[in-house]
Structure formats: structure tokens, C-alpha cells
Amino acid sequence: MAETTLKTTDNNALLRHDVNMLGNILGEILVLHGGEELLDKVETIREKTKSIRKTFDEGTYHTLKNEISSLQPPMRQQVIRAFSIYFHLINIAEQNHRIRRRRQYLLTEETNQSFSLEDAVSKVKSYNLSNDGIQEVLKTLSLELIMTAHPTEATKRTVLEIQKRISENLRKLDNPQSTQREKAFVKESLFNEVTALWHTDELRHRKPEVLDEVKNGLYYFDQTLFDTLPSIFQDLELQLQEKISEEDWQVPNFIRFGSWIGGDRDGNPNVTPEITWQTLEMQRELILKKYDDAIVDLMRRFSQSSERISISQDFIDKVAAEEHRYLQEKDTWPVKSEIYRRKFAVILKRLRQTGKSADGYRFAEELAGDLKEIKEHAEAHLPKTKKLKTMRKVIRQVEMFGFHLATLDIRNHSGEHETAIHEILKAVHVTDDYSALTEEAKQEVLLELLNDQRPLLLFDGGYSEATQKMLKVFRMIKKAHNEFGKRAIQVYLISMAEAPSDVLEVLLLAKEMGIYRLYPDGSIESDLDVAPLLETIDDLVAGPNIMQTLFETKVYRKQLQARNNHQEIMLGYSDGSKDGGTLSANWQLFKAQLEIHNMARDYDIRLKFFHGRGGSLGRGGGSLNTSILSQPVETLGDGVKITEQGEVLSSRYLLEDIAYRNLEQAAAALFENCAKVSSAPHQLELRKNEWEEAMEAISEKSLKKYQSLVFGDPDFLTYFNQATPLNELGALNIGSRPMSRKNSQRFEDLRAIPWVFAWTQSRHMLPAWYAAGTGLQSFIEADDSNLEILQTMYKEWSFFHSTINNLQMALLKADMKTAKEYLELVADPVLANRIYEDVLDEYERTKKALLQISGDEELLSHKPNIKESVHLRNPYVDPLNYLQVDLIQKLRDTPNPPDDLVTEVLLTINGVAAGLVNTG
């Protein structure tokens, strides 16, 4: 494809070079496989879309539309793929440039890169905390990142692996030590990889099964996270030693990964207890393999001989006893004086028997203890300031990942628990119609049963299949605790938790399976946290009352005491935004956190908020560090848990350097802000009352505007269904979970994910910004001083700052001219134009308000890399949108469409998804 000019700063010259080089390679491949005709067709379409973006011309526009409409197979599919693959190449080039910029900072810049560990430690040093005070802050830090399998990761694993190899080749070309011959070899390899990308079928021919999604999640642990995560903590220790003092800092493993993949049953009938068990087995298999490789490497390194250094006789005798117990003659290390290698031989044997025989390790703590024993003996022969970094890294890995790799959360819908409880209580004649009881009566029944040691379940209760499946889930959790350790499954999440009884029902089911145990003296043991998920606007408003009722209930307080007075609460961003718009939802989330935090503090309960955000902007997306900073600052010390949605995993964790930077930003933001609060807890002005009053007024107006369209306009759903590729998404085979709960056509049952994905494809991006303008503009116009208040909020309040910037990003990536093309798909043009004009009017209103508040001349002027990246992409996304509209129209007009036509529509969806990825 023709060379592309990126008119950005000089710092981006190397990025321009990479984009041009990759574009030229793709151009060669197009000629090779489609002739000059294919390349000419792609260039003609690109030039016309670029021209229209620069200066709209009616004649050029109609020529372009005719050019696209007249495309015929197989040329049409090749054109679609050319634009789509170009986006994959741009994405790789931009990620490589992020790595390049990071290295440039480390090598030459005098100032620290923002949200780097160096920058965080420098700021913490200025807060005048004692070393003990800093150590105490480190002990309080907690960040859990939970992988999900949300069905908007459209890129196949094979394609990701090709992208990774292309990225590695680009980095090799940056090496100033490479010879011309080596560079020529790398360029040839680049050509071959781009050719492989062109030859690879990017569409899945079957819907992925849950275990396919599990394998995809495990890929990131295998490729990057196992090695990258411990490096964050070791590097933070190093920065503390260099910048604050040379003492032996103890940085805990305060970032951990968990997963929903294989455990999230909400609306996904494919996640059975058997699948969850297989997931746990696959996780253990991978982590044992990683430990095996790491310990074999350590064994090679630890060649110290007792003939050269003094090693205690007690240690030597202990190793000899272990050899006698665990090893056969053929398994022992042959050189008697190499005592550490003899110990490693024992460790390897036991590791390889873990989960298979009594000789294996029962708990990961035993493995960590054996490694620490070697470390302590070996470090005794080093100067006090020198440490065995590789050994310490492996010990950290064992402490972080255990034998379970990642904690698996179990999630289920509150209605399914109620149905099971209803049936069980009816079978034992506790109550004939539990579901019909008032909330107060339900609580009374549940509390009485939780205070009773007697079991409820009958040996042959004749329960329905649904209830039996529910009971199998809890039996599986109990069995998993015995087999994989209690860290394997720690949290049970309740979707659509609307009342205290929703939480108590889960506790009662846990009691029946011995996960929650009541003893004769009234004491309780519990192996499971029960976490309500507050999703809708109404749930968020009711959340504080739900939690207060539970905190004041004796039985539930005993459950909390058994869990170290710890309560996890999940906050849903997707459904709240779908229900009330992104601005109102974010404010309700902020308020709910603050109110519940203050209440929990009064009850001496430690909270952890689990933020179900990430991925696209309409679902609370954004970088990890901005997600952390947008929370009420006083809640950060409670611990933070955030979902890492399926569609961002490859952009964040495919490449080791990008994974490191992503985790570093999160660690730096959390450490620096917790230290800031700790240094002056009573002097820190968190927010002004007038700011909260402003947000309340803005939110109220925004909610009213949003719901007047989404719920108040009887034609809105028709517009949504027809003016987006919603109905075509189901054929894309990108997730194991149905698009709708209960296979219903109702808006209430539509999942937030396809809701956002469909609007993104049509370039409306409506869930990410709609109604924000009405809220903001109405506040600005209410009083002459209000604009200045919002401008101050933007400068001084992290929550508002990130909210405004996310809205700017959403508007920048939205394109109302392109969105207008989708009106052709709406059967009633009057309906289409009426709703579109409302959306366009709100877009302009929102843009005006955002620019007034931020002081920017254009959207995201202060983020030139992101702004220019979006502008670069638009002329390449536009053809895919034009093609998508044309092909969907043909598809919907054809009673029995050919497979090729369906394939082409899906290819445009893949291409637009690749083109609109968050960048910068």
C-alpha cells in the first residue's frame, strides 16, 4: 500500500518509518496475490475516502459509493482484507513504538517517565514519610486483575502469534549493533510473516468453547505474566534502595491475577462444574510446567561445591534424608559435593509428583520453603548488599501463583440461587413458596437456617436439574479447596444482587456443602467470600442499604469475622452505563463506593471494591492507572480489583515490554497515591462540596436525557437493531456465551457487551458519551460561574479529569458522518433521520462542553499521539464502514445469502474492530 505520512512530532519519525515499511510490504503482497488491479483498487478507495475527509465533495462521495457497491467477489473480499490487515500492522508498529519510547526515557531523558516506578518513588520521597511509614504503605497495597472472556476479542490466537513475531522483528531492526546482513535477514523474515498474515484465515469457523477461552487466557500467563509480574516488585525494591535508602526493602506481591474464564456461569450454560474443574486442572498443569522449567534453570546455575564453600552439616544431612525418602538411585544428583543441585533434584522429583502421589508437594508454601532454604544458605556467602535475584524471582513466582496459577472467581445470577433455595425449602417443608415471601420474611427464614447446624438437603430430594446443577457447583468448590488449595477459589459473585437475601442464599448453599461451617459453640469457619455485584443504577443507589443490613446481621458479621473482617463488593460498569448512560453511571458508582466505604469503616470492616470495567469506553474502559486514579482516593487503601476484559488482553499482555509498562503504570499509581494519603490523611483536600453538588446536578440531567431516548422513544430499539450490525455479530464466533440472557429479545436481557460493540462498529459510540453533553451544558448555562467550577474540577479532581478525557476519546473515535451511512439500513427513513438528528445534536453539544471544560482547541489536543493515531486510521476505517453498510444491506435483502457474503460482512466487523483499538 502507498506510503502514509504521519504528521506528528519528530519523536514519531521511527513510527512513520515502521508504518511505511510495513505498508510497502503489504503492497507487494497485494500485487503478488491479486495483481496491480488489486493494489490500484485499494489505493483508489483509500485516496477517495482520504479526499472526502479533507474536503467533502458530493461527486467524489458518489463515485466512491459506486466503486464500493460495484465490487464483486473475489476482489471484494481481498479489498476488505487489505484494509483489515493494514490495521493489524499499524497496531503492531504503535505497540513497538511504545516500547521504543519507554527505552528512550530510560536511556536519555533527564526527567522520569510519568507513572513509572522511578517517578512514583521520587514523589513518595517528597512526602516525608519515614522508612517504616513507606513500608507500612507497601503492606497495604493490593491490586487484583481478573481476566475475563468477554466476546469482543475478535483476533484469533494464530493471528496474535504472527503479530508477536512481526513485533520481535521490528525490535531487531532497532538494534544499532545489527549488521547489514542481519538486517536483510530480518526484513526477509518480516515479509514472510506479513505474507503468513495474508494467508491466514482470520475468522473462526466454529464458536469457541469455554476451554478454548481458558487456553487463550493461559497463553498470557505462559508468554509474559509469569516472568513480568515479579520483575515489577523487584524493580520497585531497587528504586527504593537507590532513591530512599539501602535497607532491605520488603515489597510484597501486591499485584495478583485471577480469572473468570471457566468460572463465570452467569448466562453461560456452557460453564458447568466439570468445565470449571478442567479449568483448574489446566491452570495447575501450566504452573507446574513453568516451575519445572525455572527450577531446571536454577539447577544449572547453582554449581557451588561443599569443597569450595562451607555448608552446614545439618543442611547436608537433611538433603541426604530427603534423597532417601523421595528419590531412587537413578534420580539422585551424581556429584555429592554439589549439595544445592542434590536439593534441586529432590525438589524436581516432588514437583513432578504434585497432584499425582503422596510424594508430591501438598501446598505451594512447602515448595517456597525449600527454595528459601537454598537461598538463605547460598546468600550467606555473598556480601550483605548482594542478592540472588533469579532465585528470589522464582520464590516470588511460587508465592504469587501457588499451585493454582490464578484464583478462579465463580459467578452466578441471583435468580438461580433463589430458585434452588425455593425448591430445597419446599422439599423439607420449611416454607412452601419461598420466592413469594417478602424480603424481610426471606431474611428471617435464611438467618434461622444459618443458625441451625442441621443439614437441609435430602439424600434423594427429587430436585430439578437446575437445582442439582447448582448444588454441584458448591460441591465442586469444596472439592477444589481440597485438591488445589483454598486460594484456587476464594470469591463467589452474585450477579443482579438486589437485596440482602441474595447474599444470604449463597451462604446457605455454602453451609450445606461444608464450605461455611457452624460449630456447636456458635463459632464459624468459612472458606469463601460472598460478593454482591451491584450493576444497574437502582442497584447502585440501593447498595449502601443492602450492605448496612448485612453488616448489622449477627450471622453475617460472623461470616465476615471468619474471613478476616473482609468484604468484597463488585461494581458493574457495563449494565449501569447501558441502564443510565456513562456519565450518570460513573457518578453513581463513585457515590456508592464512598458511602459503603465510610459505612464499612464504622463497622471496622475492610472492603475490596471489584470494578467490572475495562475494554471499550462504553464499559468503563481506559488504562489501568487512570482506572485506579478515578476511584475515591480514600478507598484505594481498601484494595482494588479490576477486570481485564478479553478484548484488551492482547494489546496489554501479548508483548513482554508492553505488559511490564501496563503493570508498572498501575503499580506506580497505586503506590504513589496511597503514600500521599498516608502522609497527610487529615490535611488532604479530597473534593469540595460544590464539586459533588455539581456532579449531582449534571448526573440528574444526563440520566433524564439518556433514558428519554433509550427507554422513552418507542422507535429507539428499531433504530439500534437496524442501524448497527447487532444481528450479524452473532455469527462472528468470538465467544462461548450467548449475546442475550435467557435468549430473549428484550433490551433488559441484552448483554452490555454486544450493545457497546454494535454501536462501536457503526461509529456512533453512543454508550460511551450520549447524554453527557446535556448534563454538562445545562450546568454551564445555569450560572455564569459554573464553567469555571468545572474547569477547576478538571484540573484538580482525578475522577472528573479521567471522566472528561474518556468522553473526549469517545467523541474522537466516534464519527457521525460515517454513522449517517448506517441510516441506509433502517427501513423507515423518517424514523432513522429523527433519531440520528437527536444523536448528532447531542454529539455537538457534548463536544462543545468538553472543549470548554478542558480548554483544548480540539478533542484530546493534549494527547497528540492518540489524536494523530485516530486521524491516521480514519481514512482506512472509512472504506470498511462503507463496505459493511453495503454488504449488510445485501445480506438482509437476500433470503438465503451465500456463505461468501456472510464471510465478507464478518471480515468488515473484524477490520473495524482492529482499526478502532484504543491507542497511545
Side-chain angles (χ1 to χ4, degrees), residues 142-329:
S142 175
L143 173 62
E144 288 182 76
L145 302 172
I146 310 299
M147 288 188 180
T148 76
H150 283 306
T152 48
E153 170 53 271
T155 310
K156 283 172 63 178
R157 166 91 165 264
T158 302
V159 174
L160 292 176
E161 288 175 341
I162 295 171
Q163 291 176 353
K164 186 171 184 178
R165 292 195 294 271
I166 291 173
S167 178
E168 288 167 354
N169 280 322
L170 289 177
R171 287 206 297 283
K172 288 177 184 176
L173 288 176
D174 280 346
N175 184 357
Q177 300 296 316
S178 294
T179 65
Q180 289 303 313
R181 182 183 173 199
E182 288 169 335
K183 287 185 177 181
F185 180 83
V186 172
K187 287 180 179 178
E188 184 178 342
S189 179
L190 262 181
F191 185 90
N192 292 337
E193 294 295 351
V194 179
T195 302
L197 196 58
W198 179 258
H199 289 164
T200 299
D201 187 352
E202 56 267 66
L203 295 178
R204 295 182 175 92
H205 293 283
R206 65 172 179 85
K207 203 169 182 63
E209 296 177 354
V210 178
L211 293 181
D212 295 323
E213 295 174 332
V214 172
K215 290 174 188 172
N216 288 339
L218 292 179
Y219 178 77
Y220 299 102
F221 285 100
D222 188 21
Q223 294 294 307
T224 54
L225 294 175
F226 182 74
D227 286 312
T228 302
L229 197 50
S231 298
I232 296 291
F233 310 122
Q234 288 186 316
D235 290 351
L236 181 52
E237 284 181 349
L238 184 64
Q239 289 299 323
L240 290 165
Q241 286 171 342
E242 287 185 355
K243 290 186 166 57
I244 295 181
S245 89
E246 291 186 356
E247 71 174 72
D248 190 11
W249 292 93
Q250 301 298 312
V251 174
N253 303 315
F254 61 84
I255 303 177
R256 293 181 185 270
F257 273 81
S259 178
W260 276 12
I261 312 173
D264 182 10
R265 294 170 50 81
D266 179 25
N268 192 346
N270 303 307
V271 180
T272 63
E274 293 78 13
I275 288 292
T276 303
W277 187 264
Q278 285 181 265
T279 300
L280 292 167
E281 288 183 322
M282 290 166 67
Q283 290 186 175
R284 180 168 67 182
E285 182 182 355
L286 174 60
I287 196 60
L288 291 179
K289 178 184 178 298
K290 299 300 286 185
Y291 293 155
D292 197 298
D293 292 343
I295 289 166
V296 167
D297 178 62
L298 287 174
M299 198 173 186
R300 292 193 191 101
R301 296 168 183 263
F302 278 70
S303 57
Q304 294 94 324
S305 170
S306 58
E307 295 179 4
R308 295 286 177 267
I309 57 173
S310 173
I311 298 176
S312 79
Q313 190 60 45
D314 286 346
F315 180 61
I316 294 172
D317 292 343
K318 184 180 178 185
V319 172
E322 289 174 340
E323 287 175 324
H324 179 72
R325 178 178 175 184
Y326 294 111
L327 304 182
Q328 297 178 8
E329 186 64 33

Side-chain angles (χ1 to χ4, degrees), residues 883-899:
L883 279 157
Q884 189 176 94
V885 171
D886 182 67
L887 293 168
I888 289 176
Q889 188 73 70
K890 288 182 169 74
L891 186 67
R892 292 177 183 176
D893 290 344
T894 308
N896 295 300
D899 290 344

Side-chain angles (χ1 to χ4, degrees), residues 355-416:
K356 298 175 183 176
S357 79
D359 284 348
Y361 287 108
R362 183 76 180 86
F363 304 107
E365 289 78 7
E366 296 175 276
L367 171 59
D370 279 351
L371 294 172
K372 287 176 182 176
E373 198 171 18
I374 298 175
K375 173 187 73 72
E376 285 160 10
H377 281 86
E379 284 188 344
H381 298 280
L382 297 176
K384 193 175 180 181
T385 56
K386 303 297 181 184
K387 307 297 178 187
L388 293 168
K389 293 287 175 58
T390 305
M391 171 62 92
R392 286 177 171 240
K393 182 176 182 179
V394 176
I395 291 169
R396 276 193 184 273
Q397 288 165 330
V398 174
E399 291 172 341
M400 277 189 290
F401 299 114
F403 289 151
H404 62 288
L405 180 66
T407 297
L408 195 63
D409 285 350
I410 306 297
R411 183 170 74 135
N412 226 326
H413 194 282
S414 60
E416 296 200 20

Side-chain angles (χ1 to χ4, degrees), residues 622-636:
S623 64
L624 272 179
N625 53 300
T626 55
S627 296
I628 290 168
L629 294 178
S630 65
Q631 313 313 321
V633 68
E634 56 266 58
T635 69
L636 293 180

Side-chain angles (χ1 to χ4, degrees), residues 643-775:
T643 48
E644 284 287 59
Q645 309 283 5
E647 71 267 37
V648 303
L649 292 179
S650 61
S651 62
R652 289 184 177 176
Y653 302 113
L654 180 66
L655 304 177
E656 192 169 336
D657 287 281
I658 296 291
Y660 181 94
R661 180 64 179 140
N662 184 58
L663 295 169
E664 177 191 44
Q665 287 177 321
L670 189 62
F671 177 40
E672 191 259 313
N673 277 273
C674 287
K676 188 175 184 181
V677 173
S678 180
S679 67
H682 304 298
Q683 300 171 21
L684 197 63
E685 184 175 47
L686 306 177
R687 294 166 298 279
K688 293 181 179 177
N689 287 336
E690 69 173 358
W691 297 356
E692 295 187 9
E693 290 167 4
M695 277 306 305
E696 196 65 38
I698 291 165
S699 173
E700 185 181 338
K701 293 285 188 183
S702 179
L703 178 64
K704 187 176 178 181
K705 171 65 176 175
Y706 180 88
Q707 294 189 336
S708 70
L709 175 67
V710 175
F711 298 104
D713 192 316
D715 296 324
F716 175 74
L717 277 184
T718 301
Y719 183 89
F720 171 54
N721 279 286
Q722 294 182 10
T724 73
L726 174 71
N727 297 312
E728 288 71 26
L729 289 177
L732 195 52
N733 292 328
I734 54 176
S736 70
R737 194 164 64 169
M739 288 207 306
S740 180
R741 292 182 174 95
K742 307 174 188 174
N743 290 318
S744 160
Q745 296 300 311
R746 298 190 318 150
F747 177 76
E748 291 81 0
D749 292 325
L750 176 70
R751 291 193 175 280
I753 298 155
W755 158 256
V756 171
F757 198 38
W759 284 118
T760 302
Q761 285 284 313
S762 66
R763 306 298 296 280
H764 288 76
M765 302 285 290
L766 184 142
W769 61 267
Y770 185 80
T774 291

